[in-house]
Structures are given as C-alpha cells and as structure tokens.
C-alpha cells in the first residue's frame, strides 16, 4: 500500500489501462468476469470472501447432503492466467461516484468503470430477538452453524434420560415458505425418515417435529398457485406442519412466539423469510428505489428525475432495480437475472471497445423451481407450463448442476446426490466446530470441551 495523505492507496499496479472494479463475486460479478475475457482492461475484483458460493444449495450443506467445497470455488481461480486481472479480499466501506473512488477496509482504489454486484443480505425486518438467536442460511458459515447445531442436539439427546422432556431439541421451526424454506423443510424431513433413526436407534425420532411458518396465504408465494398447492401437499405428506397467514413476533432462543398467539418451544429457528439489497454506502439517495440502485436498460445508474446518468457505474443482480413494462416492481431477485445481466454487461463492454453502442438488456425468464425432497419438486416454466413430481425433480437437478461454478463442483455434487439417492443416507455428519449459537446445555458443554482440547 502506498500512503497518500491521510489515506492509503490500495495495492494495485498502475498500467495505463482503463480500470474496471467489480465489487462482489456472486452470480452477477462472476458471470461478468467469465464473459469479459479481455486484455484491454485492468480488472480488479473486490470481495470479503475469497470464494464464490452457489447459494441455492446451501441448505444441503446445512442438512449434511453436501460439503462446502462442493458448492464453493476460489475466486482467484476464475481470474488466474489473465494478465492484469487482480483480486483483493476485503470489505468495501463506501463508494464516491463523483470522484470515481472505492473506499475499502485496506485503502482507496480509483476506477474508470465500476460494477456493483454486491447481491443481497438477510432481512430480519428490524426484529432484534430473531437476528440474535435465529439461524440464517445465506453464507457457508451459516450453513455449517446450522448443520453442527442439528447434530449436536441429537448427540446431546443420546446423553440425556430417554424420558427427559427436552422437546425443544426435537422441534425445528423454519420461517419463510419461499424456495429456501421449502427446501430446508424437505431436507429435514428426509433426515428424519431415512438417516436419524439409523444413527440414533435409541431415540424416539417420531418426537421430531418440523414447522414451516409463512406470513402470506400460500407456500412458494412467488410461484404459481398450482406449484404452491403441490409443494404444500408434498410438505404435509412428509410430516411438515405448515402454518400460513402467520407472522413470527419473537424468538428468545427457547420459544417462538407467533402473532396468532401460538408458541413453539425450540432451540432452532431457521430464518428463510427474506433478504434485502446489500447496498454499499455513499450512493446518493436520488439514485435509489426500494433500497436498490436504479438502473436503466444498460444497467447504468440514473436518478429519479431521469436528469442524470452515471455512465461509468453499473449495478447488476439483486442490488439493481430495473423497471420494465413486464416487471413494474423491478426484476425478480433470482440468480438467472444476475447471470444474464453480468453476461450482457460484459458483451456491452466489448462493444464499447470497438466503438459500438450498448445493447439494451432483456431478461429471459427460463422458469422458477423448488424441490421438496426425493422425487418431489415443482417448476414453473415459460408459457405457463407447470411440472411437479419426479419430472420436476429431475429438471431441478439438471438445472442446478448446470449452474455450478466448476466442473469439479458438478462431479462432486452429482456423486453425492447419486450416493444419497441409492443408499438413503447422508455421508457428511461431522461436528467439526460446534456452533456457539446452540442454546441447550449439553451442546454448550460439548462446545466448551472441544474448545478446551485445542
């Protein structure tokens, strides 16, 4: 780092090329980098993690179906062997679009073009008790915390008296009936049916209860009514208790309080109820709408009065609010949107190099889907085609394998899925780092003991 005044300049070489700074190595940022492949720019990728996470499969890491390295890949591998492309692992604190600078935890970096692809973060809707005590499923660390807690609790139950009344260890509450919540419930139901009875034969696994709480009137609110009804049916057949039209008021680590007056004792509340844009500081409010960055059809920032366009700053993915005739409330917060925007922006940057005008972005909806376990999934495809059951499940698997970051990930996931399907087993049930979030006494003692052994 070179010190300049009271600030530090981030250690990136000056080469005389136009510098593109990409903030975020998620679906949008990654698809942009993979498509660009140009030696004409200096490219700098900034992210607080040194890996990309395939978030749609995090729930399988959380429920012992996959290891983290199956759904994650190092960001440096994406940019290596590309001359004058750089990665810096750090957090972006602020952006100054007037001075064309990014302020990070390690220093300041000037840019010629800025691509904001910071994605989304967990939305607790201002509920502090849930933020402190619930288990989110947004990052690899979250998934591992949940996985370790799950198996810690059953190990603890083996130690206790068989007649002990610790029902909170057997109860699991999932809040949010979107794809993530539905898929977690399906995975927990499969653990209950196929894995836990074999691992813990002395426990009465029938005492395990899974609750799905949703504030709206149907399961999978963003999908068709047909898919929502099918998913609810599949969940109930798997033994999940679905509670609709009900909000979660609070969770103190022992009891979930619902706004219908019902209480559920549990140590484990899994929060899948929503996300919000992960907005960097420094962007003037005039360029925002619904806590997102207003972008035109070229993904460039523009203000509410349509009087100013920041033509060298772009936003893609969940952070971008692009209003179209079909999507008046903005494009959906889905991985395919971010991927398509990233690829389209890379193509436009190449067009700019050759003196050509930008093309407008048009989102192509290729469908939305969710799985509820073995041979059970729902899919809403274009032209109002709805699939469910085994056909929907096979399509879900193929699509997710296709979108995984590397060939190695595809092979690892396929092998794990094949093994799990044939053996009705989950081979990844290690408690490597017990979760300090665990609320029951036995798990806390296990955690302290393992820490003391280090």
């Amino acid at each position: 780092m070179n010190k300049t005044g009271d600030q530090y300049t981030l250690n990136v070489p000056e080469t005389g090329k136009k510098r593109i700074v990409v903030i975020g190595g998620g679906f949008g940022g990654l698809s942009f980098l993979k498509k660009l492949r140009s030696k004409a720019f200096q490219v700098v990728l900034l992210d607080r993690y040194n890996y990309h996470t395939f978030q749609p499969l995090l729930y399988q890491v959380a429920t012992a179906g996959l290891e983290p390295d199956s759904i994650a890949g190092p960001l440096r591998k994406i940019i290596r062997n590309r001359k004058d492309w750089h990665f810096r692992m750090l957090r972006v604190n602020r952006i100054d679009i007037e001075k064309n600078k990014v302020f990070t935890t390690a220093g300041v970096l000037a840019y010629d073009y800025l691509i904001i692809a910071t994605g989304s973060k967990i939305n607790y809707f201002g509920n502090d008790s849930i933020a402190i005590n619930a288990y989110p499923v947004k990052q690899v660390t979250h998934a591992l915390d949940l996985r370790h807690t799950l198996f810690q609790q059953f190990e603890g139950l083996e130690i206790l008296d068989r007649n002990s009344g610790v029902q909170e260890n057997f109860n699991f509450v999932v809040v949010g009936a979107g794809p993530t919540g539905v898929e977690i419930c399906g995975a927990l139901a499969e653990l209950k049916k196929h894995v836990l009875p074999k691992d813990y034969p002395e426990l009465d696994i029938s005492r395990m209860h899974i609750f799905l709480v949703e504030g709206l009137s149907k399961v999978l609110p963003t999908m068709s009514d047909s898919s929502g009804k099918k998913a609810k049916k599949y969940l109930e057949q798997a033994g999940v208790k679905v509670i609709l039209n009900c909000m979660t008021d609070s969770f103190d680590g022992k009891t979930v309080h619902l706004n219908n007056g019902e209480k559920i004792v549990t140590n484990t509340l899994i929060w899948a109820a929503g996300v919000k844009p992960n907005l960097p500081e420094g962007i003037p409010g005039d360029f925002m709408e619904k806590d997102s960055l207003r972008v035109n059809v070229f993904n460039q920032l523009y203000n509410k009065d349509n009087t100013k366009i920041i033509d060298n700053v772009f936003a893609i993915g969940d952070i971008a609010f692009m209003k179209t005739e079909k999507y008046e409330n903005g494009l959906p917060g889905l991985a395919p949107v971010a991927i398509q925007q990233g690829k389209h922006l890379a193509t436009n940057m190449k067009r700019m190099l050759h003196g050509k005008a930008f093309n407008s972005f048009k989102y192509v909806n290729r469908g939305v889907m969710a799985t509820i376990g073995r041979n059970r999934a729902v899919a809403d495809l274009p032209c109002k085609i709805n699939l469910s059951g085994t056909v929907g499940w096979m399509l879900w698997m193929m699509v997710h394998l296709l979108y995984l970051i590397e060939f190695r990930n595809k092979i690892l996931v396929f092998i794990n899925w094949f093994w799990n399907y044939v053996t009705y087993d989950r081979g990844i049930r290690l408690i490597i780092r017990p979760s300090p979030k665990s609320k029951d006494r036995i798990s806390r003692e296990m955690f302290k003991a393992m820490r003391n052994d280090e």
Side-chain angles (χ1 to χ4, degrees):
M1 272 176 257
N2 302 313
K3 195 168 183 180
T4 57
D6 294 332
Q7 296 285 353
Y8 285 90
T9 300
L10 199 62
N11 184 25
V12 176
E14 296 289 345
T15 61
K17 296 178 183 178
K18 296 289 187 182
R19 178 183 289 164
I20 299 175
V21 175
V22 181
I23 307 176
F27 287 111
L30 206 61
S31 62
F32 171 83
L33 294 171
K34 294 173 78 172
K35 182 72 174 178
L36 184 63
R37 292 186 169 274
S38 175
K39 298 178 181 179
F41 300 102
Q42 181 188 68
V43 178
V44 183
L45 172 62
L46 309 177
D47 197 292
R48 58 187 175 138
Y49 300 106
N50 72 339
Y51 55 86
H52 166 82
T53 303
F54 189 78
Q55 291 181 342
L57 292 181
L58 273 175
Y59 81 94
Q60 294 205 8
V61 174
T63 53
L66 295 170
E67 278 288 19
D69 68 337
S70 300
I71 65 164
L75 291 172
R76 287 190 176 275
K77 189 172 182 180
I78 304 301
I79 67 170
R80 73 184 183 190
N81 301 323
R82 299 193 191 182
K83 189 176 180 180
D84 212 17
W85 285 41
H86 309 274
F87 170 71
R88 298 292 182 265
M89 181 177 144
L90 40 71
R91 183 188 297 272
V92 172
N93 293 331
R94 181 168 60 90
I95 297 169
D96 190 328
I97 60 175
E98 296 294 332
K99 295 181 179 179
N100 291 344
K101 290 183 178 180
V102 173
F103 295 80
T104 77
T105 50
V108 184
L109 184 64
Y111 62 82
D112 295 288
Y113 301 98
L114 177 65
I115 295 156
I116 306 172
T118 47
S120 57
K121 60 183 179 180
I122 305 155
N123 190 356
Y124 294 107
F125 304 99
N127 195 317
D128 291 339
S129 68
I130 292 174
I132 293 169
N133 296 303
Y135 290 86
V137 189
K138 184 65 176 167
Q139 303 290 348
V140 169
T141 50
H142 298 156
L144 290 175
D145 277 345
L146 178 55
R147 186 175 88 185
H148 296 142
T149 293
L150 171 67
F151 291 105
Q152 276 175 233
Q153 292 191 170
F154 283 100
E155 293 295 341
L157 286 167
E158 280 275 71
I159 298 169
L160 298 173
D161 184 341
R162 295 291 170 266
N163 297 317
S164 177
V166 286
Q167 186 58 41
E168 64 266 21
N169 293 64
F170 283 103
N171 289 347
F172 296 86
V173 179
V174 180
V175 179
T180 299
V182 165
E183 289 168 352
I184 289 173
C185 286
L188 288 173
E190 291 209 329
L191 278 176
K192 176 183 176 180
K193 183 176 181 180
H194 299 300
V195 178
L196 297 177
K198 298 175 184 176
D199 276 7
Y200 305 99
E202 297 178 38
L203 289 179
D204 181 8
I205 299 299
S206 66
R207 291 178 64 186
M208 177 179 173
H209 299 294
I210 305 162
F211 302 84
L212 177 60
V213 181
E214 169 57 48
L216 299 178
S217 60
K218 72 170 194 173
V219 172
L220 298 174
T222 60
M223 296 183 67
S224 66
D225 288 341
S226 171
S227 291
K229 290 176 182 177
K230 278 279 187 183
K232 183 174 183 289
K233 177 183 176 183
Y234 289 149
L235 288 167
E236 290 175 338
Q237 288 175 343
V240 178
K241 182 179 179 181
V242 180
I243 305 172
L244 300 176
N245 294 306
C246 187
M247 305 294 287
T248 306
D249 279 345
S250 64
F251 174 54
D252 59 7
K254 285 292 183 181
T255 306
V256 178
H257 297 263
L258 305 178
N259 69 349
N260 63 359
E262 186 177 349
K263 298 178 182 178
I264 306 173
V265 292
T266 182
N267 291 319
T268 312
L269 183 146
I270 303 167
W271 189 255
V275 294
K276 59 184 178 181
N278 188 17
L279 190 68
E281 293 185 7
I283 307 293
D286 196 35
F287 291 89
M288 290 186 278
E289 186 161 336
K290 296 184 178 179
D291 295 325
S292 302
L293 300 177
R294 292 170 58 92
V295 296
N296 59 18
V297 291
F298 309 124
N299 285 99
Q300 297 167 318
L301 265 63
Y302 74 102
N303 64 0
K304 292 181 180 179
D305 298 329
N306 299 329
T307 57
K308 187 175 183 180
I309 296 175
I310 311 298
D311 58 7
N312 69 330
V313 179
F314 306 85
I316 57 178
D318 290 354
I319 198 69
F321 180 87
M322 182 184 288
K323 185 176 180 179
T324 68
E325 185 177 339
K326 185 176 180 180
Y327 296 96
E328 293 186 358
N329 294 316
L331 296 176
L334 301 172
V337 174
I339 292 169
Q340 290 179 35
Q341 286 182 331
K343 291 179 178 178
H344 182 266
L345 180 54
T347 300
N348 271 345
M349 297 298 279
K350 292 178 183 178
R351 289 179 63 85
M352 182 183 66
L353 283 175
H354 296 91
K356 297 180 180 179
F358 282 180
N359 285 329
S360 300
F361 175 75
K362 294 181 178 62
Y363 170 56
V364 179
N365 179 12
R366 295 189 173 92
V368 185
M369 54 190 69
T371 181
I372 307 97
R374 173 185 297 258
N375 298 325
R376 291 176 173 178
V378 292
D380 290 347
L381 304 181
C383 303
K384 297 184 179 180
I385 298 174
N386 304 113
L387 300 178
S388 61
T390 303
V391 175
W393 182 68
M394 293 179 68
L395 178 64
W396 178 92
M397 286 196 299
M398 287 190 291
V399 168
H400 283 68
L401 283 173
L402 179 66
Y403 277 117
L404 279 165
I405 182 174
E406 294 180 12
F407 181 73
R408 173 184 175 275
N409 297 95
K410 301 178 197 291
I411 294 298
L412 286 174
V413 170
F414 177 78
I415 290 172
N416 271 283
W417 283 353
F418 179 78
W419 179 260
N420 294 346
Y421 188 82
V422 171
T423 64
Y424 288 84
D425 197 8
R426 304 284 177 91
I428 307 159
R429 300 191 290 281
L430 309 180
I431 304 174
I432 299 171
R433 56 170 189 86
S435 172
K437 253 190 171 182
S438 296
K439 303 300 186 297
D440 65 291
R441 179 182 61 81
I442 296 294
S443 291
R444 287 201 306 271
E445 293 301 319
M446 290 169 60
F447 178 71
K448 289 178 183 177
M450 293 185 74
R451 292 285 293 182
N452 291 335
D453 288 340
E454 291 178 356

